[in-house]
Amino acid sequence: MRKPFYILNLLIILLVFSCGQNSSEKELNGKWYEIKNNGITRLNFNSDSLIITDLRTQTVEWSADKSKIEFDYNLMFTDSLGRKIKKTVLEYNFSSTKDTLFTHIIEPDKKVEFNLIKANNYIDYLNKKSGIKFELPKDGKSEPINLESDYSLKIFMGFSNNKIIGKTELSDNLNNLESDIKTIKDSLITGRPEQDVLNEIRFHLRVFADKKIPDSMITKSLPVTNRSDIFKIYDFPRPPNDTLPLKIYRIYQSEERENPGFMEGKKLKTIANTVYN
């Protein structure tokens, strides 16, 4: 006789939990990676918390309606009286496919725009951002790349209609690779010779290639890897005959870190990857 009463209680409990979020909040649940800063900033919406990662991690409470997201997170903004603003408010809207989030942080005097892509993890994010589908290879002998991703140019390679396709993070193909290298390197110039030498030494290529693509096909698709004088095409204060090697890493599958720019890989064997000449 007590069974119907037990079932009724169970249904009530399930109903309470299912009503814990409104429909707008349920649509936001999941991991979102910021587009402009290469996914360093992440918002992970859960039913009971929001995990914010931006080279540090905070877990906060949040709420949302159809147009705004609110959470307690000190972004170091101040109001007109110089008081720190602890409540962050984002105005937002979805793309038509609801996999891209367009947001504005409402500051005291302006709106700061930043957009995010919904993804299962960082590699899934790079797949979606690049528009090239790839699955990274696994290798127990791959090692951490002890260079920050800020000093790199990303290259993506996968398949389309059984043909290898590729692009860089700056171009829709690989035809402008040398120009893209120069663009990144120019952005690293500080005007301080010693720092600029260090930045150039740190510069490297990161190749995100599908596991079915052999190393030989990667280097064949990147003519620049067969040049030992790659850095001679740039004006730089060093002895006339001195040439820096172009460090080229193939990226392997590894555990995602708080800073996803730290990844594992192996140097590709190329002429451009040789020692100083």
Side-chain angles (χ1 to χ4, degrees), residues 64-131:
D65 58 26
K66 292 182 179 180
S67 61
K68 291 182 181 179
I69 304 169
E70 294 188 9
F71 50 91
D72 291 321
Y73 185 68
N74 186 0
L75 294 175
M76 304 306 291
F77 298 143
T78 57
D79 60 17
S80 59
L81 298 177
R83 296 173 299 191
K84 289 183 179 179
I85 298 173
K86 294 185 178 180
K87 177 74 74 176
T88 298
V89 181
L90 303 181
E91 291 181 339
Y92 79 94
N93 57 76
F94 288 108
S95 63
S96 58
T97 54
K98 295 196 174 182
D99 59 358
T100 305
L101 194 63
F102 306 102
T103 73
H104 293 84
I105 299 177
I106 303 176
E107 289 189 33
D109 303 316
K110 61 181 179 179
K111 294 181 178 180
V112 178
E113 176 183 329
F114 72 104
N115 305 320
L116 305 103
I117 293 175
K118 190 173 189 178
N120 297 322
N121 50 52
Y122 185 65
I123 299 304
D124 184 36
Y125 156 78
L126 290 178
N127 269 262
K128 292 177 178 178
K129 184 181 178 183
S130 68

Side-chain angles (χ1 to χ4, degrees), residues 2-51:
R2 294 183 179 180
K3 191 171 183 181
F5 181 73
Y6 171 79
I7 294 175
L8 178 60
N9 280 345
L10 181 60
L11 290 174
I12 291 173
I13 292 172
L14 291 174
L15 182 62
V16 169
F17 277 100
S18 66
C19 294
Q21 286 188 300
N22 60 43
S23 58
S24 298
E25 291 167 343
K26 289 177 181 178
E27 286 185 319
L28 287 163
N29 284 342
K31 294 182 181 179
W32 297 85
Y33 293 75
E34 210 276 334
I35 296 175
K36 288 185 179 178
N37 72 355
N38 288 316
I40 298 298
T41 300
R42 281 153 283 166
L43 302 181
N44 186 0
F45 293 95
N46 298 290
S47 59
D48 58 351
S49 64
L50 167 60
I51 303 172

Side-chain angles (χ1 to χ4, degrees), residues 125-134 153-160 163-178 180-181 205-210 213 218 221-222:
Y125 156 78
L126 290 178
N127 269 262
K128 292 177 178 178
K129 184 181 178 183
S130 68
I132 292 183
K133 189 172 182 179
F134 58 87
L153 173 69
K154 296 183 186 67
I155 297 170
F156 307 100
M157 299 180 68
F159 292 96
S160 178
K163 292 183 179 180
I164 295 176
I165 58 171
K167 65 185 297 186
T168 74
E169 59 184 306
L170 300 181
S171 299
D172 289 333
N173 51 55
L174 299 176
N175 298 334
N176 303 313
L177 182 54
E178 288 190 23
D180 290 346
I181 289 173
L205 302 184
R206 295 189 176 201
V207 182
F208 295 81
D210 187 84
I213 302 176
I218 293 176
S221 301
L222 307 176

